[in-house]
Amino acid sequence: MSGRPITTMLSLKKKGLRGHEAIWEHILNNKSDAFTIRDIDQHTNGKTDSVRDYLKRLVKAGYVVELDEKVGKAKLYRLIKRQKKAPRLSRDGVESTQGTARSNLWRTIKMIGAFTARDLAISASTKSFPITENYAADYVHFLSKAGYLKKLKGSKAGGNKGRSAKQAVYRLIPSKNTGPKAPMIQRIKSVYDPNLERVVWMKGMEVRK
């Protein structure tokens, strides 16, 4: 037996949390004023080295401080900066922007109703993370291939260099709102849904619509 509390592990699994997200979830919910690596490790599905590595990143980024006192030989830590989402940090403690554009697109798709790629790019862009129409169109293309989007109106050819004079209009299929994490377009041009933890489309795969 690993000694990890079963109820906590099941709760994390039910929420679909793993890795840094699971570690952060327990740090947020920790009822003690301070905690050790062991306190976090025994409540998550991660490895001790992974917990130690993420804590180092959190300390460098200013989310957690390392205290002077110890419990035996174990270092004590305290959370000083809270936020709902697990910070995405490099080993140097620098905030990572990887996946932010994709997350903004997915969140907007779930909120916007009917949209074109141009509508989506404009609505999902922020001052810090502008999104190009081509990037949005590529994401829409693969979500459509994976059966996540319904095409309401087709595009009409025309315009400069064959670009559509009137873009296709899409809407998210309600049953395909699989969760908060944005489906990912992988390098092999397949679609992976982290909410379902599986590849939902690849070339040659038949998708039910």
Side-chain angles (χ1 to χ4, degrees):
M1 296 291 288
S2 65
R4 300 174 190 268
I6 295 176
T7 53
T8 305
M9 292 288 289
L10 289 175
S11 176
L12 292 172
K13 187 174 182 180
K14 186 176 181 180
K15 292 180 180 180
L17 299 178
R18 58 196 304 179
H20 291 176
E21 290 180 327
I23 296 169
W24 182 250
E25 176 81 1
H26 188 67
I27 290 174
L28 286 179
N29 294 329
N30 179 53
K31 295 180 180 179
S32 301
D33 180 56
F35 57 87
T36 65
I37 289 175
R38 175 60 179 165
D39 292 333
I40 304 303
D41 173 58
Q42 68 177 344
H43 288 90
T44 69
N45 55 357
K47 297 180 180 179
T48 301
D49 287 344
S50 298
V51 175
R52 183 180 291 108
D53 175 71
Y54 190 48
L55 274 176
K56 286 180 179 178
R57 301 183 191 203
L58 291 171
V59 169
K60 289 178 180 179
Y63 287 90
V64 170
V65 292
E66 184 180 324
L67 304 179
D68 293 332
E69 59 263 39
K70 295 183 178 181
V71 176
K73 294 183 179 180
K75 295 179 180 179
L76 276 171
Y77 299 87
R78 177 179 294 141
L79 177 66
I80 59 172
K81 184 179 176 182
R82 288 179 170 270
Q83 66 179 44
K84 187 174 182 180
K85 292 185 67 175
R88 299 167 63 93
L89 305 168
S90 69
R91 292 186 184 277
D92 296 325
V94 178
E95 298 279 353
S96 172
T97 60
Q98 185 179 7
T100 301
R102 184 176 61 244
S103 295
N104 287 352
L105 286 173
W106 178 239
R107 182 172 59 252
T108 303
I109 285 172
K110 294 189 291 181
M111 296 170 55
I112 199 173
F115 61 88
T116 65
R118 186 178 297 121
D119 296 332
L120 182 59
I122 293 171
S123 298
S125 290
T126 65
K127 187 174 182 179
S128 301
F129 301 103
I131 297 172
T132 66
E133 184 180 330
N134 285 341
Y135 185 91
D138 192 55
Y139 194 63
V140 167
H141 170 75
F142 282 101
L143 286 188
S144 180
K145 286 280 190 183
Y148 280 54
L149 304 177
K150 179 179 181 180
K151 184 185 285 189
L152 304 179
K153 294 180 182 178
S155 59
K156 294 182 179 179
N160 188 29
K161 295 184 180 180
R163 293 189 66 181
S164 298
K166 186 175 182 180
Q167 291 194 327
V169 179
Y170 296 88
R171 184 190 297 274
L172 177 66
I173 296 171
S175 62
K176 294 299 183 178
N177 184 354
T178 56
K181 300 175 184 177
M184 303 163 60
I185 313 305
Q186 299 180 307
R187 290 183 180 180
I188 57 173
K189 300 302 182 184
S190 61
V191 180
Y192 174 80
D193 191 329
N195 303 294
L196 304 177
E197 297 186 347
R198 63 182 175 87
V199 172
V200 293
W201 179 85
M202 62 172 47
K203 191 173 182 179
M205 179 186 290
E206 186 176 345
V207 176
R208 291 183 180 180
K209 296 186 178 181

